Amino acid sequence: ESQDVSFSVYPNHFGAEGFHMEYAISGEAELKVFDQVGKEVYRKKLVPSGNHAKIVLPGESGIYNLVIYTREGSRHMKMVKL
């Protein structure tokens, strides 16, 4: 598991208004969100000078897998859309 990125997401049960992600990274990273069947539904480049993103996901209610990829590895978090 990558140690060069930390992040928190709120709220985790989110609705149509989306959710917020606060993050700290030491290099460039990429955020991808996948739906329950593994289809990519969102992608965003993250840079060290940023620290916040508001994310609104298209699609239906269900469980989504949020993944941040860096050179050193990846970090995962499950999210629930109501």
Side-chain angles (χ1 to χ4, degrees):
E1 187 168 288
S2 176
Q3 300 301 315
D4 65 334
V5 60
S6 64
F7 68 99
S8 62
V9 177
Y10 60 93
N12 189 0
H13 290 89
F14 65 96
E17 70 284 351
F19 60 91
H20 297 267
M21 182 177 78
E22 303 282 342
Y23 63 91
I25 55 177
S26 60
E28 288 190 8
E30 186 169 47
L31 166 68
K32 292 183 181 181
V33 181
F34 301 92
D35 67 12
Q36 298 175 90
V37 296
K39 178 182 172 193
E40 182 182 307
V41 296
Y42 184 88
R43 177 188 299 210
K44 179 178 180 67
K45 292 272 186 202
L46 303 176
V47 295
S49 60
N51 64 0
H52 178 265
K54 176 160 187 195
I55 299 159
V56 177
L57 296 180
E60 302 177 3
S61 299
I63 297 171
Y64 289 82
N65 192 27
L66 183 151
V67 186
I68 296 178
Y69 296 93
T70 67
R71 279 188 209 181
E72 288 76 26
S74 61
R75 299 285 302 269
H76 303 254
M77 178 179 281
K78 291 216 181 290
M79 304 288 297
V80 177
K81 183 174 183 182
L82 302 176

